[in-house]
Amino acid sequence: MEQKQNPGILKDALQQSFIKLNPRIQVKNPVMFVVYLGAVLITALYILSFFGISDSARGYTFAIALILWFTVLFANFAEAIAEGRGRAQANTLRKARKDVSARKLKSAANLADYTEVLSADLKKGDIVYVTAGEQIPMDGEVIDGAASVDESAITGESAPVIRESGGDRSAVTGGTTVLSDWLVIRVTAERGESFLDKMIAMVEGASRKKTPNEIALQILLVTLTIIFLVVSGTLLPFTAFASKQAGAGAAISITNVVALLVCLAPTTIGALLSSIGIAGMSRLNQANVLAMSGRAIEAAGDVDVLLLDKTGTITLGNRQASEFLPVSGVEEYELASAAQLSSLADETAEGRSIVVLAKRRFDIRARELTKSNALFLPFTAKTRMSGVDYAGEEIRKGAADAVRAYVQERGGTYPDECDRIVRYVAGQGGTPLAVAKNGRVLGVIFLKDIVKKGVKDRFEDLRKMGIKTIMITGDNPMTAAAIAAEAGVDDFLAEATPEAKLKLIRDYQASGHLVAMTGDGTNDAPALAQADVAVAMNSGTQAAKEAGNMVDLDSSPTKLIDIVRIGKQLLMTRGALTTFSVANDVSKYFAIIPVLFFAIYPQLGVLNFMHLTSATSAMLSAILYNALIIIALIPLSLKGVRYRELPASELLRRNMLIYGLGGIVAPFFAIKLIDLLLTACGLV
């Protein structure tokens, strides 16, 4: 959601507009530096006019100088207001970054042997002990314990998250608060290099470097400015010579030469170029994504292949029981009853869904088994089954091959029909759980991966954008194919291993594609490092975060789609305003030049189809429009051009129609209107 401007940001931006008049700051933007030098020169000419040295009317010189200074200030304001939003975000983050006392352990094995130190004194590799109510002193990796952590200071989300040793949720960020239990953390960052420090630097723009596209565009703008500088510089001797030859008119004044240069140079995009880049970074920050470089944002705009994890991205992540499929000779009620009994102590989402389905299908309610001395058997990676023993009954549910081995060990028969049901469930994209009672197979529970609502439409939008979507999953190919078809992705990678992900990315890159992917585990690090746009989850491991060039603070794998949209919007905004700026320059050329030379060559009067009052009026109108259009486009540069899910060719066509044709037409109407107003007020 776009952040509204508050009075504090606007006030700060106004102050920064004047601070940025420092020549050392202005020289960083060559195009606007030319305008800055022009304003200084015309101001000097105005001062000299009081000593009898002038080439134009004093009032006219003053007006041109004033407009040029306003042009520079408007450019500064555009950049300052973009930086101001980042500065406001940085101030909020600074409140979370403070020195706190930390328990530094000598050994992770002895929690009682510690030294009280300040977080500022911690070094990479140190081990600290943090308990409930305490702030985590520095970025680190949980090596022991599990706790709920409040990360609202960084993510803005009030709901606590679980951080624990081992797995993919072991990374913690300094400045967050432990709400319950305790953690032993190994520090992974030096002071000044923490995640929070990087966030502050990025949102402030202090570490923002110009991207390759930005540099290339600036080179083009500087080249155009040099060309117009040469053209404008030759006008003075040319008009002096032409006026003598024609015996009419006079040489163009230095004031008009400078004004003409400013009007013809690409000052509009030159003034807004920096703010567009900063605003793009800000939009990404507002989406709770930290980009380690501006280049990553631009790359996101050019991405044409997306690698998306199935679980949590395409599907809800929790499989739900959808059907009871009994074998021949077994009633569905019997299967449902046994499945429900075996799941009463199962606190997983799958287990709870089996209980709910049994209740919904047959009104089988939870039963009290404590008096029956029931023994519940939890699922383990070794047995791959769970179940319950009670009243002489044995019920087991789990993977089909595990149940097969269980049944055959007890002398029972595993029916071929059960295998057919298992294959059917797998073919439908589901997970089959076989159920057996007292060594007899009852049937199969159909666990279905629920595809997120609306995800198919989002993939269709991506397809319209020319982006190929690939689902990555550890499922077998049959299951993966079924889910891919339901979700509407273009392709899938089943039974994915780190090596397979890496090979897939390299293959697409070798074919000239730009690839984006998300990841949160250490095993994702090689693929993240290889991808052009790599979004690491904030909840993931330190290795994943270091390998990625973006970090999603919300740890939402679907955020990748929004990142691509923001990247494309950044590129579109820059392209649209560049098109508009160049088109403006073309129009101003035809609007001004004929009027300036009319006194020397009256034949050029036919080109003055706008019927501007005079050369003075034409120049004032053009340079005033040049200044006003900058401030008029500031909201668009900050908000960004609206992105639509259309093919690149159609987007280009819309861009040329709206900003190309619009950029040519707008100056004629605006300059004529300003000319009429100046004339009506008697100012020319």
Side-chain angles (χ1 to χ4, degrees):
M1 185 180 292
E2 210 55 45
Q3 179 179 311
K4 292 182 178 179
Q5 306 304 334
N6 62 60
I9 292 176
L10 292 173
K11 183 181 178 181
D12 181 63
L14 285 171
Q15 292 174 346
Q16 288 295 321
S17 299
F18 288 92
I19 294 172
K20 288 177 178 288
L21 290 176
N22 187 325
R24 287 177 293 183
I25 298 175
Q26 287 296 312
V27 78
K28 294 177 182 179
N29 188 340
V31 177
M32 294 311 299
F33 187 59
V34 170
V35 182
Y36 177 82
L37 292 177
V40 172
L41 176 60
I42 303 302
T43 303
L45 289 174
Y46 173 67
I47 295 170
L48 289 172
S49 69
F50 289 96
F51 300 94
I53 304 171
S54 69
D55 67 345
S56 297
R58 185 182 299 168
Y60 177 69
T61 306
F62 175 76
I64 294 294
L66 193 63
I67 295 169
L68 289 180
W69 281 119
F70 270 109
T71 303
V72 176
L73 285 170
F74 291 162
N76 290 347
F77 182 78
E79 184 177 51
I81 200 168
E83 290 174 345
R85 300 195 301 182
R87 201 173 291 112
Q89 290 175 312
N91 290 335
T92 302
L93 291 170
R94 278 197 184 91
K95 293 176 183 177
R97 189 186 65 179
K98 56 185 180 183
D99 280 343
V100 295
S101 180
R103 297 188 189 93
K104 180 181 174 182
L105 299 175
K106 293 182 180 180
S107 168
N110 188 359
L111 303 183
D113 188 9
Y114 63 84
T115 307
E116 292 273 355
V117 298
L118 288 175
S119 56
D121 298 328
L122 291 172
K123 295 182 175 62
K124 189 174 181 180
D126 287 345
I127 298 172
V128 294
Y129 174 54
V130 188
T131 61
E134 297 177 347
Q135 190 177 96
I136 294 172
M138 188 65 75
D139 292 4
E141 197 91 26
V142 179
I143 59 176
D144 194 13
S148 58
V149 179
D150 178 9
E151 297 185 343
S152 59
I154 295 172
T155 66
E157 295 293 329
S158 57
V161 295
I162 302 298
R163 294 290 176 260
E164 58 189 349
S165 61
D168 296 337
R169 297 186 179 274
S170 59
V172 290
T173 306
T176 58
T177 305
V178 176
L179 297 180
S180 68
D181 303 295
W182 55 271
L183 297 171
V184 177
I185 301 165
R186 180 183 289 111
V187 176
T188 57
E190 300 285 355
R191 179 170 174 80
E193 298 176 1
S194 69
F195 187 67
L196 207 54
D197 290 315
K198 291 176 182 177
M199 282 185 69
I200 293 169
M202 292 304 299
V203 299
E204 272 190 322
S207 63
R208 193 185 93 88
K209 296 180 181 178
K210 290 181 179 177
T211 63
N213 281 350
E214 211 171 342
I215 293 170
L217 180 56
Q218 192 165 65
I219 291 171
L220 173 63
L221 298 180
V222 170
T223 304
L224 289 173
T225 302
I226 292 171
I227 292 170
F228 286 119
L229 183 62
V230 173
V231 170
S232 302
T234 59
L235 286 180
L236 187 60
F238 173 77
T239 54
F241 173 79
S243 62
K244 288 180 182 179
Q245 291 292 317
I252 189 171
S253 66
I254 294 175
T255 301
N256 277 339
V257 169
V258 173
L260 183 64
L261 171 62
V262 172
C263 285
L264 298 184
T267 51
T268 305
I269 184 62
L272 299 172
L273 185 59
S274 183
S275 67
I276 292 169
I278 296 170
M281 185 78 77
S282 178
R283 281 195 295 277
L284 202 65
N285 291 329
Q286 288 167 33
N288 259 0
V289 177
L290 175 65
M292 300 305 179
S293 69
R295 176 181 243 167
I297 304 175
E298 285 189 351
D302 288 327
V303 158
D304 55 359
V305 177
L306 285 186
L307 303 185
L308 299 157
D309 191 48
K310 181 202 73 173
T311 306
T313 306
I314 295 170
T315 64
L316 292 173
N318 294 325
R319 295 168 297 178
Q320 304 289 309
S322 62
E323 286 184 78
F324 296 115
L325 303 172
V327 297
S328 300
V330 178
E331 296 290 330
E332 186 181 348
Y333 176 87
E334 185 182 359
L335 171 60
S337 179
Q340 188 243 32
L341 281 170
S342 66
S343 304
L344 289 177
D346 190 346
E347 292 300 322
T348 65
E350 293 89 344
R352 288 194 297 271
S353 74
I354 293 170
V355 175
V356 170
L357 181 62
K359 181 182 177 181
R360 190 170 64 243
R361 290 277 295 124
F362 300 102
D363 199 30
I364 304 174
R365 310 227 170 225
R367 284 161 278 186
E368 180 61 54
L369 300 181
T370 54
K371 296 179 181 178
S372 304
N373 295 320
L375 175 64
F376 289 98
L377 305 174
F379 177 88
T380 65
K382 185 177 180 180
T383 64
R384 293 190 299 148
M385 291 191 304
S386 63
V388 61
D389 295 341
Y390 85 104
E393 306 275 354
E394 287 187 6
I395 300 174
R396 298 289 185 270
K397 73 172 194 296
D401 56 343
V403 172
R404 180 202 297 268
Y406 162 79
V407 169
Q408 291 175 346
E409 279 178 14
R410 281 152 181 76
T413 302
Y414 187 86
D416 293 338
E417 185 185 1
C418 191
D419 274 338
R420 288 195 295 271
I421 296 172
V422 167
R423 287 195 295 272
Y424 163 76
V425 171
Q428 295 298 308
T431 300
L433 284 183
V435 180
K437 183 177 180 181
N438 299 329
R440 172 178 168 238
V441 175
L442 301 181
V444 174
I445 306 168
F446 190 148
L447 293 181
K448 189 175 182 181
D449 256 338
I450 308 298
V451 174
K452 288 183 177 179
K453 188 177 180 181
V455 75
K456 192 169 186 176
D457 294 334
R458 296 198 76 177
F459 288 142
E460 181 59 36
D461 290 341
L462 288 169
R463 199 170 291 110
K464 291 176 183 176
M465 294 156 59
I467 297 173
K468 182 176 183 178
T469 52
I470 301 172
M471 181 186 77
I472 299 174
T473 176
D475 291 336
N476 62 68
M478 190 178 292
T479 301
I483 295 173
E486 186 179 352
V489 295
D490 299 308
D491 203 353
F492 64 89
L493 175 66
E495 298 175 343
T497 61
E499 294 78 16
K501 294 177 191 176
L502 191 60
K503 184 179 182 302
L504 183 68
I505 294 170
R506 285 174 174 170
D507 288 346
Y508 273 107
Q509 289 174 332
S511 303
H513 297 280
L514 284 179
V515 182
M517 75 163 287
T518 60
D520 60 358
T522 302
N523 64 343
D524 292 322
L528 286 170
Q530 183 66 38
D532 300 287
V533 177
V535 184
M537 302 294 102
N538 189 42
S539 62
T541 62
Q542 196 66 29
K545 289 161 78 171
E546 289 175 357
N549 47 29
M550 291 186 186
V551 177
D552 177 20
L553 303 180
D554 296 330
S555 301
S556 170
T558 55
K559 192 67 70 66
L560 184 56
I561 299 172
D562 298 318
I563 291 169
V564 171
R565 188 184 297 272
I566 292 170
K568 287 188 176 294
Q569 189 181 36
L570 171 64
L571 296 178
M572 279 184 59
T573 303
R574 190 182 293 152
L577 293 185
T578 301
T579 303
F580 185 85
S581 178
V582 173
N584 263 234
D585 295 338
V586 173
S587 294
K588 286 182 284 187
Y589 182 88
F590 285 102
I592 301 169
I593 296 295
V595 183
L596 288 178
F597 288 89
F598 179 67
I600 301 175
Y601 302 111
Q603 301 90 334
L604 291 174
V606 296
L607 296 178
N608 185 21
F609 58 89
M610 293 171 66
H611 302 292
L612 300 176
T613 305
S614 65
T616 300
S617 171
M619 187 56 71
L620 273 175
S621 299
I623 200 166
L624 193 57
Y625 166 78
N626 195 71
L628 293 175
I629 197 64
I630 292 173
I631 200 162
L633 291 174
I634 288 176
L636 185 61
S637 71
L638 297 178
K639 186 178 180 181
V641 173
R642 183 182 174 189
Y643 180 71
R644 292 175 172 82
E645 290 78 9
L646 297 169
S649 58
E650 195 165 338
L651 286 173
L652 180 61
R653 200 158 38 246
R654 279 181 62 87
N655 179 64
M656 296 304 296
L657 180 64
I658 297 172
Y659 298 97
L661 184 60
I664 289 174
V665 172
F668 288 113
F669 284 98
I671 291 172
K672 179 61 179 177
L673 179 61
I674 295 170
D675 176 76
L676 290 172
L677 290 171
L678 292 175
T679 304
C681 296
L683 298 175
V684 293

